């Protein structure tokens, strides 16, 4: 008997967290995440979820609570958006360096100044160097399922996972979601086995100062310097590529739903023009691809689901035959171009593929992005390509720019 | 080694060869705190002198589980330990947050206020060496008025020491106490007591610092003692809001024989630029504070 | 207890001499006169304030009192606090007497 309900993205997330037998939740309210935090406290206070809820006084504390609770062996959860994420930035680095399998939902929202409460992906993209795995969801079903996968991924490679979904567009919009079965989730997710040793029976000092060079312990064995320890985090992120794919495949097998692992392809097999995006924007791009096909342009969409670790091989595979690639993104790395575009270009460097790559910044601060705008932009790029204009300045879609 | 020497736990939890300075007041306080807290304890600490005492990877001199975290996070880290241990049915393990005055009065005040407001079941210990000593003696809000620090190098600190005990009192916590490593048995007893109490417990330890306060290392115990004897740092505790002096301060309250504050100030290089007006103000402040304590006792 | 990979993140193990042989820090060392030391004179457990006030815990409350000179940092607190003035801080380049 399927359990399909119409629910918001925040509700779908909360329902998934509950299914994961999370033991400690610490979250501070911020639009558009607040309802997610509220629902978690509802579940916990009603007894539906047996967990500790710490009503923290700020986001920096929220993530810190997750860090120490995870260290001592509890499965934890937090969620935030925008400035809340920025406030916990220091601790994002800490959690990754401490190799803790924390799962956090980032309900994507633009950052101040000036204020916006509406959606863009600047908040999470700005955290791309912290060492967290980042997965972008395109609909509420995917939010639900990705959280379940996130714990499995995090706990297998000991790297924290950020599950990102667009604020208001997904968090507050109702869509059909089929809830996973509790027993199936418990089989899919083995219990958390912490690598950390923080117990009176075996006293250790965790995450102290490390020297630049390796240093011998009391038995004369050379132990890691700071650089080795940090290298291990990078190595784990590389291992995470496989972990993400495995978790996705195992999930598809058990639950019958497949969101694509690292990258999902829409009509890419024979595509000459590819739209690339993340999250709900990528979903919107599929409509644009269909419309372009009507016009006779063989268009497709490369949906980047995992931004970190960056799925170089999967991206190369998806983009290799395209003549034009248009990267649409809801963020910008100021002083250069969209971060996704830079990563795409980097992935193709050194290969035989030489598509023209165009970058569009779209939807900042919640400005609505319509599929016909994506279609028009892509068609214009196609015209540019045919006229030999293989490069052009980053375009801000539907925005006054001087 | 005699059995039951001074009637305290004889086990040493800090192995010889730590990175603490010669004559470090923190080292002496920590020695007794750990003796009192015993095995079923987890410590959490920020970047500070204690972090250095705890040692550099891959070794530590301390035989107690300890979790490092970032500077602003100490009480938040403790909150997470408490929540995690509860969720895992290990709530009988004592969680002890230990931070310096910088990580308590200044950057860590938000997390501590939050944890105390939530009634978090943990012990928070502030070891107060009255400055950011680990980074080289910069001024904190705990630095006394008139002190030279590397960020008040000419004019001395202008503001009086932040009355942090009043702030903690306002949180209506289960237990609040001051202690000094110069009175190690009083300190030990308070930690033994605190371990048994449930709810938020705040311990404020006055920790003399030879390089930071500019006095020779051999005088650490003497300096702490003078702080108590001049009434600048009284030994007291408040259980559920009920105030009482302990040890030497109790005797002084009864006999009214506090030493003039100048006896303390003149022995430390950090006060050498203090002018007569500042000295007078400090004496007046101590006198006023003791008047407050006297009224508290009467309540 | 389950076997865990201890090298995934930084976890220190307790060890003597984390900062090396801290006895090397000394410029002066404590020298105890057993003719003045109260427990030595009384031949029983007494005083031991040197043990009490040592920040390093390197004083052994034995009769006579012993100090671990590999790790004593030479702070001088024991000498300062000894009520019988039984401890002298002697320069490292000088003999005990």
């Amino acid at each position: 008997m399927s359990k399909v309900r119409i629910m918001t993205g925040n509700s779908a997330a909360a329902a998934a967290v509950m299914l994961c037998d999370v033991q400690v939740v610490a979250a501070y309210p911020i639009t558009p995440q607040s309802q997610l935090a509220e629902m978690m406290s509802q579940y916990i206070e009603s007894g539906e979820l047996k967990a500790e809820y710490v009503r923290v006084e700020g986001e920096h504390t929220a993530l810190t609570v997750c860090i120490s609770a995870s260290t001592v062996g509890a499965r934890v959860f937090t969620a935030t958006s925008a400035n809340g994420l920025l406030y916990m930035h220091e601790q994002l680095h800490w959690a990754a360096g401490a190799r803790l399998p924390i799962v956090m939902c980032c309900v994507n929202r633009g950052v101040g100044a000036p204020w916006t409460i509406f959606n863009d992906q600047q908040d999470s993209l700005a955290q791309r160097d912290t060492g967290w795995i980042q997965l972008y969801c395109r609909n509420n079903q995917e939010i639900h399922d990705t959280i379940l996968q996130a714990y499995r991924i995090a706990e297998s490679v000991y790297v924290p996972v950020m599950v990102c979904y667009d604020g208001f567009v997904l968090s507050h919009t109702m869509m059909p979601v089929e809830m996973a079965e509790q027993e199936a989730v418990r089989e899919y997710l083995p219990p958390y086995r912490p690598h950390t040793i923080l117990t009176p029976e075996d006293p250790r000092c965790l995450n102290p100062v490390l020297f630049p060079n390796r240093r011998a312990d009391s038995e004369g064995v050379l132990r890691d310097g700071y650089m080795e320890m940090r290298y291990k985090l990078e190595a784990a992120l590389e291992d995470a590529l496989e972990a993400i794919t495995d978790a996705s495949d195992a999930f598809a097998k058990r639950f019958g739903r497949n969101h694509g692992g690292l990258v999902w392809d829409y009509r890419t097999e024979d595509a000459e023009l590819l739209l690339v995006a993340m999250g709900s924007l990528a979903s919107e791009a599929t409509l644009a691809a269909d419309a372009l096909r009507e016009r006779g342009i063989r268009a497709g969409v490369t949906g980047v689901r995992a931004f970190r670790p960056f799925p170089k091989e999967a991206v190369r595979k998806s983009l290799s035959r395209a003549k034009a690639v248009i990267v649409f993104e809801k963020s910008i790395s100021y002083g250069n171009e969209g971060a996704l575009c830079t990563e795409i270009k980097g992935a193709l460097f050194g290969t035989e593929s030489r598509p023209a790559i165009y970058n569009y910044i779209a939807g900042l601060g919640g400005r609505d992005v319509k599929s016909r705008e994506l279609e028009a932009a892509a068609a214009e790029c196609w015209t540019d390509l045919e006229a030999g204009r293989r490069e052009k300045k980053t375009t801000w879609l539907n925005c006054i720019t001087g | 080694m005699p059995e039951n020497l001074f009637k305290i736990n004889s086990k040493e939890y800090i192995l010889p060869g730590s990175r603490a300075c010669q004559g470090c007041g923190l080292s002496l306080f920590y020695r007794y705190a750990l003796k009192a807290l015993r095995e079923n304890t987890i410590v959490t600490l920020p970047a500070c002198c204690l972090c250095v005492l705890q040692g550099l990877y891959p070794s530590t001199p301390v035989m107690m589980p300890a979790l490092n975290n970032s500077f602003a996070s100490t009480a938040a880290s403790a909150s997470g330990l408490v929540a995690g241990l509860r969720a895992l049915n290990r709530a009988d393990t004592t969680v002890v947050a230990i931070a310096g005055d910088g990580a308590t009065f200044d950057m860590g005040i938000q997390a501590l206020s939050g944890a105390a407001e939530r009634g978090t079941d943990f012990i928070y210990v502030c070891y107060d060496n009255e400055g950011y000593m680990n980074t080289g003696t910069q001024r904190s809000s705990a630095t006394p008025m008139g002190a030279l620090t590397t960020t008040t190098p000419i004019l001395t600190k202008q503001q009086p020491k932040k009355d942090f005990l009043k702030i903690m009192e306002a949180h209506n916590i289960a237990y609040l106490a001051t202690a000094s490593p110069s009175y190690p048995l009083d300190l030990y007893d308070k930690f033994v007591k605190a371990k048994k109490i449930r709810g938020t417990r705040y311990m404020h330890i006055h920790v003399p610092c030879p390089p930071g306060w500019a006095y020779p290392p051999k005088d650490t115990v003497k300096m702490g003692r003078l702080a108590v004897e001049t009434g600048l740092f009284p030994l007291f505790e408040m259980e559920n809001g009920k105030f009482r002096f302990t040890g030497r301060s109790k005797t002084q309250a009864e006999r009214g024989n506090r030493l003039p504050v100048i006896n303390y100030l003149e022995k430390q290089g950090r006060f050498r630029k203090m002018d007569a007006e500042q000295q007078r103000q400090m004496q007046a402040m101590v006198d006023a504070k003791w008047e407050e304590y006297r009224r508290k006792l009467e309540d | 207890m389950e076997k865990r990979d201890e090298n995934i993140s930084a976890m220190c193990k307790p060890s003597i001499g984390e900062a090396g042989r801290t006895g090397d820090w000394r410029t002066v060392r404590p020298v105890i006169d057993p003719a003045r030391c109260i427990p030595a004179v009384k031949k029983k457990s007494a005083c031991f304030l040197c043990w009490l006030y040592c920040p390093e815990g390197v004083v052994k409350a034995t009769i006579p009192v012993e100090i671990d000179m590999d790790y004593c940092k030479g702070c001088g607190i024991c000498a300062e606090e000894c009520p019988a003035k039984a401890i002298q801080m002697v320069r490292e380049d000088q003999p005990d007497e």
Side-chain angles (χ1 to χ4, degrees), chain B residues 16 20 22 31-32 60 225, chain C residues 15 17-18 51-52 54 73 81:
Chain B
Q22 296 167 314
R31 186 178 163 211
Y32 286 96
T60 176
R225 201 179 286 138
Chain C
S15 150
E18 186 279 314
W51 175 90
L52 187 73
C54 175
K73 293 173 183 170
E81 296 303 315

Side-chain angles (χ1 to χ4, degrees), chain B:
Chain B
M1 167 100 183
E3 282 287 304
N4 220 11
L5 183 56
F6 293 101
K7 298 199 182 70
I8 62 176
N9 180 6
S10 57
K11 182 169 173 183
E12 300 293 343
Y13 293 84
I14 309 176
L15 297 167
S18 87
R19 219 165 271 270
C21 296
Q22 296 167 314
C24 174
L26 161 63
S27 206
L28 188 56
F29 131 69
Y30 199 35
R31 186 178 163 211
Y32 286 96
L34 293 179
K35 281 172 178 289
L37 291 165
R38 291 180 184 264
E39 269 69 12
N40 196 14
T41 301
I42 296 178
V43 169
T44 186
L45 65 146
C48 59
C49 286
L50 180 59
C51 171
V52 175
L53 190 160
Q54 289 276 154
L56 273 66
Y57 188 74
S59 301
T60 176
V62 179
M63 298 198 297
M64 196 68 96
L67 178 64
N68 283 272
N69 216 312
S70 56
F71 193 59
S73 311
T74 316
S77 185
S79 298
L81 288 174
V82 170
L85 289 166
R86 260 180 74 132
L88 299 166
N89 293 315
R90 287 161 50 192
D92 58 337
T93 300
T94 308
V95 172
V96 183
I98 308 181
D101 52 289
T104 302
F105 285 43
D106 296 338
M107 211 192 276
I109 192 173
Q110 179 196 308
L112 172 54
S113 180
E117 184 274 326
R118 292 189 295 273
T120 309
D121 185 17
F122 77 127
I123 301 174
Y124 188 101
V125 185
C126 172
Y127 69 89
D128 185 3
N129 50 23
E130 300 183 336
Y132 302 148
M133 296 317 188
N134 189 33
T135 44
T137 318
Q138 293 85 20
R139 159 256 204 247
S140 82
S141 62
T143 305
M145 184 195 291
L148 288 170
T149 66
T150 54
T151 45
T152 56
I154 298 168
L155 301 175
T156 79
K157 186 178 184 238
Q158 300 300 296
Q159 302 81 7
K161 186 185 182 84
K162 186 188 276 190
D163 192 347
F164 206 77
L165 288 159
K166 219 178 206 167
I167 294 172
M168 288 320 296
E169 212 190 308
H171 285 71
N172 292 316
I173 57 178
Y175 182 68
L176 187 157
T178 61
S180 167
S182 299
Y183 298 88
L185 303 178
D186 175 79
L187 189 152
Y188 178 93
D189 287 343
K190 282 164 174 165
F191 273 88
V192 170
K193 186 175 209 173
K195 187 165 171 119
K196 298 194 194 104
I197 294 174
R198 296 276 74 82
T200 302
R201 293 143 277 166
Y202 178 80
M203 322 279 286
H204 197 101
I205 321 295
H206 194 230
V207 158
C209 169
W213 298 8
Y215 67 83
K218 68 178 177 63
D219 290 334
T220 287
V221 174
K222 184 153 75 195
M223 216 54 72
R225 201 179 286 138
L226 274 171
V228 172
E229 288 177 343
T230 53
L232 254 168
F233 188 83
L235 301 174
F236 67 82
E237 58 184 1
M238 289 182 74
E239 253 184 284
N240 294 314
K242 181 103 177 67
F243 177 94
R244 67 176 203 100
F245 282 116
T246 67
R248 187 94 185 96
S249 297
K250 184 159 184 284
T251 315
Q252 289 189 315
E254 285 156 8
R255 294 188 200 163
N257 56 351
R258 273 182 288 131
L259 285 178
V261 155
I262 190 74
N263 288 282
Y264 174 77
L265 301 174
E266 67 192 3
K267 295 206 168 46
Q268 298 168 42
R270 62 174 171 157
F271 293 123
R272 68 182 179 276
K273 287 284 173 66
M274 215 170 167
D275 60 40
E277 177 53 24
Q278 286 174 313
Q279 290 170 354
R280 194 201 60 75
Q281 271 188 46
M282 190 169 286
Q283 185 66 64
M285 208 178 62
V286 174
D287 294 337
K289 204 77 191 140
W290 275 73
E291 185 49 36
E292 237 184 85
Y293 296 138
R294 194 188 57 76
R295 274 184 265 117
K296 266 194 170 52
L297 280 175
E298 279 169 13
D299 286 344

Side-chain angles (χ1 to χ4, degrees), chain A residues 324-386:
Chain A
V325 171
I326 302 133
V327 185
F328 292 98
E329 44 197 313
K330 285 182 175 173
S331 69
I332 177 162
S333 181
Y334 288 96
N336 194 23
E337 61 185 355
L340 180 59
C341 186
T342 304
E343 306 275 341
I344 297 284
K345 287 176 179 171
L348 295 178
F349 188 81
T351 68
E352 298 295 299
S353 308
R354 295 265 191 284
I357 302 180
Y358 304 99
N359 193 203
Y360 280 77
I361 310 301
L364 297 191
R367 182 158 298 178
D368 195 29
V369 183
K370 297 179 170 45
S371 61
R372 59 180 139 81
E373 290 166 342
L374 300 175
E375 178 204 341
E380 196 185 298
C381 290
W382 191 248
T383 309
D384 283 330
L385 177 63
E386 286 183 324

